[in-house]
Structures are given as structure tokens and as C-alpha cells.
Amino acid sequence: MSVHIEWTQGVARTFDNGRRFEDADPFVSVIKLDKIGPDTVLLSADLTQRKLTRGDIAELKQELIAAGFALVHCWRKVGRRVPYGGRVIRTKGQLALWEIEL
């Protein structure tokens, strides 16, 4: 018999420059990550103390790529602009599911 454990949930925390998780510094945001496919992650539960900067998002993107992800899905309100060249792949009521290639 062999056993393979695959973690399917995680949390991403962002910090201001010079601050780190290892130093127990306060974080700027917490983002829930759910692995929903071999190369796809669903972002949700964005709890943020300030608007994320392009640098914050670029660093998150680098970390997701390094972890082997190629696609990001995210539910947002219908009518909001889809960022980073993404596209709406379906809607349900007032929510739109976005897909963004990393």
C-alpha cells in the first residue's frame, strides 16, 4: 500500500514591506485558497485592511506560479471589470465566476 496526501486548502497572508510572518508581524490581508484542480486555485474570503497594491498582487501571483498553479478562479459581482486579461466563465444570479491565467 502507498499513501499520497494532497492538501487542498490554504491561506495566503500579505504583509507590508519589511514585515514577515516569521516575526509575527501584523498582516495586511488574508486570502483563502482552495485547490480545485491540478493547476487551478479558487481565491475567496479576501479580508483586507487596505487595498492591495500591484506589488502585493504580483507577489501573490509569483507564489501561486511557484506552487504549480496556472489558473485562478474568483467569484465577484456581475459587471465588475475582470482584471489581468481574465474572462467570465459563468454567472449565477448577481455573481460572475472569473478565470485568470497566471
Side-chain angles (χ1 to χ4, degrees):
M1 179 172 113
S2 65
V3 175
H4 169 79
I5 297 175
E6 184 173 329
W7 299 108
T8 60
Q9 293 184 330
V11 172
R13 297 177 194 267
T14 61
F15 296 84
D16 283 325
N17 287 335
R19 305 230 180 225
R20 303 175 342 135
F21 177 80
E22 294 79 11
D23 296 332
D25 288 327
F27 54 84
V28 172
S29 74
V30 175
I31 302 166
K32 183 175 180 254
L33 306 169
D34 292 297
K35 183 177 181 182
I36 59 173
D39 67 347
T40 307
V41 64
L42 174 69
L43 300 185
S44 60
D46 179 8
L47 306 172
T48 194
Q49 297 178 28
R50 65 162 168 75
K51 186 175 179 177
L52 295 179
T53 66
R54 285 180 116 14
D56 295 332
I57 295 168
E59 191 170 338
L60 176 60
K61 179 180 175 179
Q62 288 175 345
E63 292 293 325
L64 290 172
I65 290 169
F69 293 106
L71 297 171
V72 171
H73 286 185
C74 182
W75 286 96
R76 298 295 296 266
K77 186 175 180 177
V78 168
R80 293 199 58 177
R81 184 182 65 83
V82 181
Y84 308 108
R87 64 187 180 97
V88 173
I89 57 176
R90 77 180 187 101
T91 60
K92 177 71 175 173
Q94 290 299 307
L95 293 174
L97 181 61
W98 297 354
E99 179 177 84
I100 302 167
E101 289 189 35
L102 294 174

